[in-house]
């Protein structure tokens, strides 16, 4: 398991998690007037075309990524 976090240009957060052959990218906007989140499975969707944020089967992963993003300075 490995993860990497960056701050986006607008002050949001981007977290990439690699685990068990999967690679996920979680994005959260830093703009108060435009709060948005996105979740992509990068190996199957390298162009980030399908936002999976609302899919019930990734709810546990989404919670983990949100927790990782919140725990980093």
């Amino acid at each position: 398991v490995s993860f990497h976090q960056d701050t986006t240009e607008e002050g949001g957060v981007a977290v990439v998690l690699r685990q068990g052959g999967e690679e996920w990218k979680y994005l959260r906007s830093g703009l108060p007037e435009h709060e948005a989140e996105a979740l992509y499975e990068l190996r199957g969707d390298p162009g980030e075309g399908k936002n999976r944020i609302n899919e019930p089967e990734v709810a546990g992963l989404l919670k983990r990524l949100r927790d990782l993003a919140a725990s980093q300075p």
Side-chain angles (χ1 to χ4, degrees):
V1 176
S2 69
F3 87 97
H4 176 78
Q5 178 172 321
D6 282 321
T7 303
T8 64
E9 289 180 12
E10 71 276 350
V13 66
V15 177
V16 175
L17 176 71
R18 293 172 185 87
Q19 175 180 337
E22 295 183 337
E23 187 172 4
W24 293 88
K25 183 175 185 180
Y26 168 72
L27 300 164
R28 184 180 65 223
S29 170
L31 301 172
E33 68 277 6
H34 181 71
E35 291 186 20
E37 292 181 297
L39 179 65
Y40 302 104
E41 195 282 303
L42 297 177
R43 296 199 194 248
D45 182 18
E48 300 177 13
K50 183 178 180 184
N51 185 355
R52 299 186 59 188
I53 200 86
N54 294 316
E55 295 182 9
E57 60 270 14
V58 297
L61 172 68
L62 179 58
K63 180 185 179 331
R64 182 174 181 200
L65 288 166
R66 283 174 173 155
D67 290 347
L68 281 170
S71 71
Q72 301 302 308

